Amino acid sequence: MQPRPRPRPRRLRPPLSEPAAPLSPHGPWPRPSGGATDRTLEHVQELHDAPLAPLTTFRLGGPAARLITATTDAEVIAAVREADDSGTPLLIIGGGSNLVIGDKGFDGTALRIATKGFELDGTKLELAAGEVWTDAVARVVEAGLAGIECLAGIPGSAGATPIQNVGAYGQEVSSTITEVIAYDRKTHETVAVTNAECAFSYRHSRFKAEPDRFVVLRVRFALEDAQGMSAPLKYPETARTLGVAAGDRVPAAVARETVLKLRAGKGMVLDPEDHDSWSAGSFFTNPILTEEEFAAFHARVADRLGPDTAPPAFPTDDGRVKTSAAWLIDKAGFTKGYGTGPARISTKHTLALTNRGGATTEDLLALAREVVAGVRDAFGVTLVNEPVTVGVSL
Protein backbone atom coordinates (compact mmCIF):
# COMPACT_ATOMS: atom_id res chain seq x y z
CA MET A 1 0.00 0.00 0.00
CA GLN A 2 1.35 3.38 -0.96
CA PRO A 3 1.70 5.87 1.94
CA ARG A 4 -0.80 8.70 1.91
CA PRO A 5 0.77 12.05 0.99
CA ARG A 6 1.19 14.47 3.87
CA PRO A 7 -1.33 17.33 3.63
CA ARG A 8 0.21 20.60 2.59
CA PRO A 9 -0.21 23.60 4.89
CA ARG A 10 -2.55 26.13 3.40
CA ARG A 11 -1.03 29.28 1.97
CA LEU A 12 -2.29 32.42 3.60
CA ARG A 13 -4.19 34.69 1.24
CA PRO A 14 -3.12 36.93 -0.27
CA PRO A 15 0.36 35.61 -1.19
CA LEU A 16 3.55 37.36 -0.20
CA SER A 17 3.68 39.28 -3.46
CA GLU A 18 0.61 41.25 -2.35
CA PRO A 19 -0.18 43.12 0.87
CA ALA A 20 -1.73 40.70 3.36
CA ALA A 21 -4.09 41.31 6.22
CA PRO A 22 -2.13 41.84 9.44
CA LEU A 23 -1.99 39.04 11.99
CA SER A 24 -0.57 41.34 14.63
CA PRO A 25 -0.02 45.01 15.41
CA HIS A 26 3.20 44.81 13.41
CA GLY A 27 1.33 45.21 10.13
CA PRO A 28 1.17 43.24 6.89
CA TRP A 29 3.40 40.45 5.73
CA PRO A 30 6.37 41.73 3.70
CA ARG A 31 6.65 41.53 -0.04
CA PRO A 32 9.36 39.28 -1.46
CA SER A 33 12.61 40.85 -2.47
CA GLY A 34 13.93 40.65 -5.98
CA GLY A 35 17.53 40.45 -4.77
CA ALA A 36 19.64 39.31 -1.87
CA THR A 37 19.17 42.56 0.05
CA ASP A 38 15.80 43.59 1.45
CA ARG A 39 15.01 47.13 2.55
CA THR A 40 13.16 45.64 5.51
CA LEU A 41 16.56 44.88 7.04
CA GLU A 42 17.79 48.46 6.92
CA HIS A 43 16.84 49.22 10.52
CA VAL A 44 17.40 45.89 12.26
CA GLN A 45 20.08 45.45 14.87
CA GLU A 46 23.11 43.81 13.27
CA LEU A 47 26.35 42.74 14.95
CA HIS A 48 29.43 40.99 13.62
CA ASP A 49 31.58 38.43 15.46
CA ALA A 50 28.76 38.49 18.00
CA PRO A 51 28.84 36.36 21.17
CA LEU A 52 26.09 33.74 21.23
CA ALA A 53 26.72 32.24 24.67
CA PRO A 54 24.71 34.98 26.45
CA LEU A 55 21.73 34.10 24.25
CA THR A 56 21.60 30.51 25.53
CA THR A 57 20.60 29.17 28.93
CA PHE A 58 23.77 27.04 28.96
CA ARG A 59 25.83 30.24 28.51
CA LEU A 60 28.05 28.27 26.15
CA GLY A 61 29.22 28.53 22.55
CA GLY A 62 31.38 30.66 20.31
CA PRO A 63 30.40 33.75 18.30
CA ALA A 64 28.35 34.14 15.14
CA ALA A 65 29.88 35.75 12.08
CA ARG A 66 26.76 37.91 11.98
CA LEU A 67 23.86 38.36 14.39
CA ILE A 68 20.56 39.96 13.38
CA THR A 69 17.83 40.74 15.91
CA ALA A 70 14.39 40.90 14.29
CA THR A 71 11.50 42.53 16.14
CA THR A 72 8.76 42.14 13.51
CA ASP A 73 7.55 39.26 11.37
CA ALA A 74 8.52 41.27 8.30
CA GLU A 75 12.10 41.53 9.53
CA VAL A 76 12.21 37.81 10.31
CA ILE A 77 11.08 36.87 6.80
CA ALA A 78 13.40 39.39 5.16
CA ALA A 79 16.42 38.07 7.08
CA VAL A 80 15.57 34.47 6.20
CA ARG A 81 15.09 35.34 2.53
CA GLU A 82 18.37 37.24 2.42
CA ALA A 83 20.28 34.31 3.91
CA ASP A 84 18.60 31.79 1.61
CA ASP A 85 19.10 33.92 -1.51
CA SER A 86 22.80 34.36 -0.78
CA GLY A 87 23.40 30.77 0.35
CA THR A 88 24.45 31.90 3.83
CA PRO A 89 24.07 29.35 6.67
CA LEU A 90 21.26 30.44 8.98
CA LEU A 91 20.74 29.75 12.68
CA ILE A 92 17.40 30.65 14.26
CA ILE A 93 17.56 31.62 17.93
CA GLY A 94 14.57 32.15 20.19
CA GLY A 95 15.03 31.90 23.93
CA GLY A 96 18.15 29.77 23.58
CA SER A 97 16.88 27.24 26.13
CA ASN A 98 17.24 24.22 23.86
CA LEU A 99 20.48 25.04 22.10
CA VAL A 100 24.04 23.70 22.33
CA ILE A 101 26.44 25.77 20.21
CA GLY A 102 29.97 24.59 19.53
CA ASP A 103 32.95 26.46 20.95
CA LYS A 104 33.95 27.60 17.45
CA GLY A 105 30.62 29.37 17.07
CA PHE A 106 28.56 29.70 13.91
CA ASP A 107 30.03 30.79 10.58
CA GLY A 108 26.91 32.34 9.14
CA THR A 109 23.95 34.52 10.09
CA ALA A 110 22.31 33.97 13.47
CA LEU A 111 18.79 35.35 13.52
CA ARG A 112 17.42 36.17 16.95
CA ILE A 113 13.63 36.34 16.89
CA ALA A 114 12.50 39.04 19.33
CA THR A 115 8.98 39.67 18.04
CA LYS A 116 6.23 40.68 20.44
CA GLY A 117 2.50 40.02 20.32
CA PHE A 118 0.01 38.63 22.85
CA GLU A 119 -3.59 38.63 21.60
CA LEU A 120 -6.37 37.04 23.63
CA ASP A 121 -9.87 36.89 22.14
CA GLY A 122 -12.16 34.94 24.42
CA THR A 123 -10.50 31.54 24.66
CA LYS A 124 -8.42 32.05 21.51
CA LEU A 125 -4.79 33.02 22.02
CA GLU A 126 -2.21 34.14 19.46
CA LEU A 127 1.43 34.57 20.44
CA ALA A 128 4.28 36.04 18.43
CA ALA A 129 7.23 33.67 18.19
CA GLY A 130 9.45 35.93 20.28
CA GLU A 131 7.14 36.13 23.29
CA VAL A 132 8.65 34.76 26.52
CA TRP A 133 6.74 31.54 27.08
CA THR A 134 6.55 31.53 30.87
CA ASP A 135 5.30 35.13 30.87
CA ALA A 136 2.57 34.19 28.40
CA VAL A 137 1.49 31.31 30.66
CA ALA A 138 1.23 33.71 33.59
CA ARG A 139 -0.99 36.08 31.58
CA VAL A 140 -3.25 33.26 30.44
CA VAL A 141 -3.71 32.06 34.02
CA GLU A 142 -4.36 35.61 35.17
CA ALA A 143 -7.11 35.78 32.54
CA GLY A 144 -8.73 32.74 34.15
CA LEU A 145 -8.12 30.32 31.27
CA ALA A 146 -6.90 26.74 31.39
CA GLY A 147 -4.82 24.49 29.18
CA ILE A 148 -1.19 25.56 29.62
CA GLU A 149 -0.94 26.33 33.36
CA CYS A 150 1.20 23.23 34.03
CA LEU A 151 3.71 24.43 31.42
CA ALA A 152 4.71 27.33 33.69
CA GLY A 153 8.40 28.00 34.22
CA ILE A 154 9.57 26.38 30.98
CA PRO A 155 12.26 28.70 29.62
CA GLY A 156 12.36 29.82 26.02
CA SER A 157 10.14 31.52 23.50
CA ALA A 158 6.61 30.78 22.30
CA GLY A 159 7.83 30.03 18.78
CA ALA A 160 9.87 27.08 20.02
CA THR A 161 6.98 25.34 21.76
CA PRO A 162 5.44 23.66 18.69
CA ILE A 163 8.84 22.59 17.38
CA GLN A 164 9.57 20.45 20.43
CA ASN A 165 5.91 19.86 21.29
CA VAL A 166 6.88 21.23 24.68
CA GLY A 167 5.38 19.31 27.56
CA ALA A 168 5.65 18.89 31.31
CA TYR A 169 3.56 17.86 34.31
CA GLY A 170 0.87 16.20 32.24
CA GLN A 171 0.38 18.83 29.54
CA GLU A 172 1.72 19.28 26.01
CA VAL A 173 1.22 22.28 23.75
CA SER A 174 -0.12 19.95 21.06
CA SER A 175 -3.35 19.63 23.04
CA THR A 176 -4.12 23.35 22.73
CA ILE A 177 -2.37 24.53 19.54
CA THR A 178 -4.83 25.03 16.68
CA GLU A 179 -2.38 26.22 14.05
CA VAL A 180 1.10 27.60 13.53
CA ILE A 181 1.83 30.51 11.22
CA ALA A 182 5.21 29.97 9.61
CA TYR A 183 7.38 31.10 6.73
CA ASP A 184 7.98 28.21 4.36
CA ARG A 185 11.54 28.50 3.04
CA LYS A 186 10.80 25.92 0.34
CA THR A 187 7.79 27.65 -1.25
CA HIS A 188 8.65 31.20 -0.12
CA GLU A 189 5.16 31.61 1.33
CA THR A 190 3.68 32.37 4.70
CA VAL A 191 1.55 29.35 5.58
CA ALA A 192 -0.88 28.25 8.26
CA VAL A 193 -0.04 24.75 9.52
CA THR A 194 -2.98 23.10 11.24
CA ASN A 195 -2.60 20.97 14.36
CA ALA A 196 -2.99 17.77 12.32
CA GLU A 197 -0.39 18.94 9.80
CA CYS A 198 2.07 19.66 12.64
CA ALA A 199 2.39 15.86 13.12
CA PHE A 200 2.89 16.20 16.84
CA SER A 201 4.30 13.35 18.90
CA TYR A 202 6.40 13.06 22.05
CA ARG A 203 8.93 15.95 21.92
CA HIS A 204 8.61 15.98 18.15
CA SER A 205 6.78 17.69 15.31
CA ARG A 206 6.89 18.31 11.59
CA PHE A 207 8.95 21.44 12.30
CA LYS A 208 11.60 19.37 14.05
CA ALA A 209 11.50 16.75 11.30
CA GLU A 210 12.09 19.45 8.65
CA PRO A 211 14.39 21.85 10.53
CA ASP A 212 15.50 23.83 7.48
CA ARG A 213 12.05 24.44 6.05
CA PHE A 214 9.75 26.31 8.44
CA VAL A 215 10.39 29.42 10.51
CA VAL A 216 7.68 29.85 13.13
CA LEU A 217 6.16 33.34 13.24
CA ARG A 218 2.96 32.93 15.27
CA VAL A 219 1.33 30.22 17.37
CA ARG A 220 -2.43 30.02 17.91
CA PHE A 221 -4.10 28.21 20.79
CA ALA A 222 -7.61 27.23 21.86
CA LEU A 223 -7.85 27.41 25.65
CA GLU A 224 -10.62 26.48 28.08
CA ASP A 225 -12.77 28.77 30.17
CA ALA A 226 -13.15 26.63 33.29
CA GLN A 227 -14.22 29.50 35.54
CA GLY A 228 -10.68 29.98 36.80
CA MET A 229 -10.03 26.29 37.37
CA SER A 230 -7.22 24.29 35.82
CA ALA A 231 -7.53 21.56 33.26
CA PRO A 232 -7.88 18.11 34.88
CA LEU A 233 -4.55 17.27 36.52
CA LYS A 234 -2.84 14.34 34.79
CA TYR A 235 0.57 14.24 36.44
CA PRO A 236 0.67 12.18 39.67
CA GLU A 237 3.33 14.34 41.35
CA THR A 238 1.29 17.50 40.84
CA ALA A 239 -1.90 15.92 42.14
CA ARG A 240 -0.09 14.36 45.10
CA THR A 241 1.56 17.67 46.02
CA LEU A 242 -1.83 19.38 45.96
CA GLY A 243 -3.53 16.58 47.90
CA VAL A 244 -6.06 15.82 45.18
CA ALA A 245 -6.74 12.90 42.88
CA ALA A 246 -5.54 12.65 39.31
CA GLY A 247 -8.23 14.09 37.08
CA ASP A 248 -9.32 16.69 39.62
CA ARG A 249 -9.26 20.41 38.92
CA VAL A 250 -7.78 23.08 41.15
CA PRO A 251 -7.60 26.85 40.68
CA ALA A 252 -5.37 27.45 37.64
CA ALA A 253 -3.24 29.91 39.61
CA VAL A 254 -2.64 27.26 42.28
CA ALA A 255 -1.66 24.69 39.64
CA ARG A 256 0.76 27.16 38.09
CA GLU A 257 2.39 28.09 41.41
CA THR A 258 2.71 24.43 42.37
CA VAL A 259 4.42 23.56 39.11
CA LEU A 260 6.79 26.51 39.50
CA LYS A 261 7.78 25.29 42.97
CA LEU A 262 8.26 21.73 41.75
CA ARG A 263 10.38 22.92 38.83
CA ALA A 264 12.45 25.26 41.02
CA GLY A 265 13.17 22.38 43.38
CA LYS A 266 14.69 20.54 40.42
CA GLY A 267 16.68 23.53 39.13
CA MET A 268 14.31 23.81 36.15
CA VAL A 269 13.39 27.50 36.57
CA LEU A 270 15.93 30.01 35.27
CA ASP A 271 17.88 31.73 38.04
CA PRO A 272 21.16 33.55 37.25
CA GLU A 273 22.45 32.71 40.73
CA ASP A 274 21.63 29.00 40.50
CA HIS A 275 24.08 27.04 38.36
CA ASP A 276 21.66 24.11 38.37
CA SER A 277 19.53 26.20 36.02
CA TRP A 278 22.46 26.89 33.67
CA SER A 279 21.20 24.04 31.54
CA ALA A 280 18.75 23.09 28.82
CA GLY A 281 16.43 21.47 31.32
CA SER A 282 16.05 17.82 30.44
CA PHE A 283 19.07 17.00 28.31
CA PHE A 284 17.78 13.59 27.18
CA THR A 285 14.35 12.46 26.06
CA ASN A 286 12.63 9.52 27.72
CA PRO A 287 13.30 6.39 25.63
CA ILE A 288 10.30 4.79 23.93
CA LEU A 289 10.87 1.08 23.37
CA THR A 290 9.12 -1.67 21.45
CA GLU A 291 7.81 -4.60 23.49
CA GLU A 292 10.85 -6.65 22.47
CA GLU A 293 13.25 -3.84 23.35
CA PHE A 294 11.58 -3.31 26.71
CA ALA A 295 11.75 -7.04 27.49
CA ALA A 296 15.49 -7.02 26.79
CA PHE A 297 15.89 -3.88 28.86
CA HIS A 298 13.91 -5.43 31.74
CA ALA A 299 16.21 -8.45 31.68
CA ARG A 300 19.26 -6.19 31.92
CA VAL A 301 17.66 -4.41 34.89
CA ALA A 302 17.08 -7.73 36.64
CA ASP A 303 20.69 -8.79 36.08
CA ARG A 304 22.08 -5.50 37.35
CA LEU A 305 19.67 -4.49 40.09
CA GLY A 306 17.93 -7.71 41.07
CA PRO A 307 14.83 -9.57 39.86
CA ASP A 308 12.49 -7.56 42.07
CA THR A 309 13.45 -4.21 40.52
CA ALA A 310 10.76 -2.85 38.23
CA PRO A 311 11.89 -0.07 35.88
CA PRO A 312 9.45 2.77 35.12
CA ALA A 313 7.08 1.74 32.33
CA PHE A 314 4.41 3.86 30.69
CA PRO A 315 2.47 2.26 27.81
CA THR A 316 2.02 4.48 24.75
CA ASP A 317 -0.91 4.60 22.36
CA ASP A 318 1.03 2.79 19.64
CA GLY A 319 1.83 -0.27 21.73
CA ARG A 320 5.31 0.73 22.79
CA VAL A 321 6.59 1.49 26.29
CA LYS A 322 8.14 4.73 27.53
CA THR A 323 10.64 4.57 30.36
CA SER A 324 12.45 7.23 32.39
CA ALA A 325 15.75 8.68 31.22
CA ALA A 326 16.35 10.13 34.70
CA TRP A 327 15.92 6.68 36.24
CA LEU A 328 18.31 5.13 33.73
CA ILE A 329 20.96 7.76 34.37
CA ASP A 330 20.71 7.40 38.14
CA LYS A 331 20.73 3.60 38.14
CA ALA A 332 23.72 3.58 35.77
CA GLY A 333 25.69 5.38 38.48
CA PHE A 334 25.37 9.01 37.40
CA THR A 335 23.81 10.52 40.48
CA LYS A 336 22.94 14.15 41.23
CA GLY A 337 26.03 16.34 41.17
CA TYR A 338 28.08 13.78 39.24
CA GLY A 339 31.28 15.13 37.70
CA THR A 340 34.45 16.87 38.76
CA GLY A 341 34.85 19.50 36.06
CA PRO A 342 32.98 22.69 35.18
CA ALA A 343 30.21 20.69 33.49
CA ARG A 344 28.31 18.38 35.83
CA ILE A 345 24.96 16.74 36.39
CA SER A 346 22.62 19.03 38.30
CA THR A 347 22.63 18.67 42.08
CA LYS A 348 18.83 18.72 41.94
CA HIS A 349 17.91 16.53 38.95
CA THR A 350 19.84 13.78 37.16
CA LEU A 351 18.30 14.64 33.80
CA ALA A 352 19.90 18.09 33.62
CA LEU A 353 23.51 18.64 32.55
CA THR A 354 24.79 21.96 33.80
CA ASN A 355 27.49 24.58 33.37
CA ARG A 356 28.91 25.26 36.80
CA GLY A 357 30.69 28.34 35.46
CA GLY A 358 33.67 28.45 33.14
CA ALA A 359 32.65 25.34 31.19
CA THR A 360 33.10 24.94 27.45
CA THR A 361 30.77 23.16 25.09
CA GLU A 362 33.33 20.38 24.79
CA ASP A 363 33.22 19.95 28.57
CA LEU A 364 29.45 19.56 28.36
CA LEU A 365 29.61 17.12 25.45
CA ALA A 366 32.26 15.01 27.17
CA LEU A 367 29.92 14.60 30.13
CA ALA A 368 26.95 13.85 27.86
CA ARG A 369 28.91 11.19 25.97
CA GLU A 370 30.01 9.61 29.25
CA VAL A 371 26.40 9.38 30.40
CA VAL A 372 25.18 7.96 27.08
CA ALA A 373 27.91 5.31 27.06
CA GLY A 374 27.31 4.41 30.71
CA VAL A 375 23.58 3.94 30.26
CA ARG A 376 24.09 1.92 27.08
CA ASP A 377 26.62 -0.36 28.78
CA ALA A 378 24.39 -0.84 31.82
CA PHE A 379 20.99 -1.30 30.21
CA GLY A 380 21.38 -1.52 26.42
CA VAL A 381 19.37 1.66 25.89
CA THR A 382 20.79 4.59 23.92
CA LEU A 383 19.76 8.01 25.19
CA VAL A 384 18.98 10.76 22.67
CA ASN A 385 19.76 14.39 23.38
CA GLU A 386 16.82 16.78 23.42
CA PRO A 387 18.67 20.09 22.77
CA VAL A 388 19.57 21.07 19.22
CA THR A 389 23.30 20.96 18.56
CA VAL A 390 25.04 23.49 16.30
CA GLY A 391 28.47 22.68 14.89
CA VAL A 392 28.85 19.72 17.27
CA SER A 393 27.25 16.35 17.96
CA LEU A 394 27.31 13.64 20.56
Side-chain angles (χ1 to χ4, degrees), residues 29 73 76-77 80 92 111 113 115 127-130 157-164 177 179-185 190-191 193 198 205 207-208 211 213-220:
W29 302 111
D73 297 320
V76 171
I77 295 173
V80 173
I92 306 295
L111 171 60
I113 299 180
T115 53
L127 296 177
S157 62
T161 60
I163 298 172
Q164 287 289 116
I177 287 177
E179 63 181 5
V180 176
I181 308 303
Y183 176 67
D184 188 337
R185 298 168 68 182
T190 301
V191 296
V193 188
C198 289
S205 70
F207 308 106
K208 191 172 182 179
R213 179 167 180 180
F214 297 102
V215 179
V216 175
L217 301 172
R218 305 257 146 183
V219 189
R220 292 173 175 166

Side-chain angles (χ1 to χ4, degrees), residues 135-345:
D135 292 347
V137 173
R139 294 177 68 178
V140 165
V141 170
E142 185 178 358
L145 299 177
I148 59 174
E149 61 280 354
C150 291
L151 301 178
I154 295 177
S157 62
T161 60
I163 298 172
Q164 287 289 116
N165 186 18
V166 164
Y169 294 93
Q171 289 182 343
E172 289 182 330
V173 292
S174 58
S175 65
T176 52
I177 287 177
T178 56
E179 63 181 5
V180 176
I181 308 303
Y183 176 67
D184 188 337
R185 298 168 68 182
K186 180 178 180 180
T187 64
H188 311 295
E189 299 169 339
T190 301
V191 296
V193 188
T194 66
N195 182 290
E197 292 164 347
C198 289
F200 288 123
S201 60
Y202 172 68
R203 300 298 178 271
H204 199 69
S205 70
R206 182 175 184 179
F207 308 106
K208 191 172 182 179
E210 300 180 75
D212 297 324
R213 179 167 180 180
F214 297 102
V215 179
V216 175
L217 301 172
R218 305 257 146 183
V219 189
R220 292 173 175 166
F221 302 81
L223 304 171
E224 179 189 5
D225 185 355
Q227 304 301 309
M229 302 298 283
S230 70
L233 297 175
K234 296 181 179 179
Y235 199 69
E237 183 182 17
T238 312
R240 185 169 59 250
T241 301
L242 288 166
V244 300
D248 286 352
R249 295 177 185 262
V250 299
V254 172
R256 173 180 173 272
E257 288 299 323
T258 301
V259 167
L260 286 173
K261 290 178 182 178
L262 289 172
R263 291 185 63 87
K266 301 172 183 178
M268 297 291 186
V269 176
L270 290 180
D271 180 353
E273 303 302 318
D274 182 6
H275 282 278
D276 280 324
S277 73
W278 289 30
S279 73
S282 300
F283 194 87
F284 300 103
T285 58
N286 290 322
I288 299 179
L289 310 174
T290 65
E291 289 186 5
E292 294 78 10
E293 290 169 340
F294 187 81
F297 161 58
H298 201 172
R300 295 282 288 266
V301 170
D303 289 342
R304 183 180 178 90
L305 303 175
D308 295 330
T309 302
F314 309 96
T316 64
D317 293 338
D318 60 1
R320 295 184 295 171
V321 181
K322 180 166 66 175
T323 191
S324 167
W327 187 91
L328 286 165
I329 293 168
D330 181 73
K331 298 304 181 183
F334 303 100
T335 54
K336 296 175 183 177
Y338 178 88
T340 58
R344 305 178 196 175
I345 292 178

Side-chain angles (χ1 to χ4, degrees), residues 19-150:
L23 293 181
S24 77
H26 298 309
W29 302 111
R31 301 179 183 184
S33 168
T37 303
D38 194 304
R39 292 181 60 83
T40 311
L41 291 175
E42 285 185 355
H43 303 294
V44 301
Q45 182 187 93
E46 180 176 334
L47 299 173
H48 294 269
D49 195 28
L52 294 180
L55 302 182
T56 73
T57 53
F58 265 124
R59 295 165 171 80
L60 296 176
R66 180 189 187 210
L67 171 65
I68 291 176
T69 298
T71 58
T72 69
D73 297 320
E75 291 173 356
V76 171
I77 295 173
V80 173
R81 289 185 62 90
E82 182 197 59
D84 289 347
D85 289 347
S86 63
T88 302
L90 181 67
L91 170 64
I92 306 295
I93 300 178
S97 60
N98 200 48
L99 200 56
V100 177
I101 299 173
D103 292 317
K104 293 182 179 179
F106 183 69
D107 188 17
T109 294
L111 171 60
R112 177 172 171 259
I113 299 180
T115 53
K116 297 296 180 184
F118 179 102
E119 299 179 22
L120 192 57
D121 180 10
T123 58
K124 296 179 180 179
L125 172 67
E126 178 177 295
L127 296 177
E131 282 288 330
V132 176
W133 173 252
T134 193
D135 292 347
V137 173
R139 294 177 68 178
V140 165
V141 170
E142 185 178 358
L145 299 177
I148 59 174
E149 61 280 354
C150 291

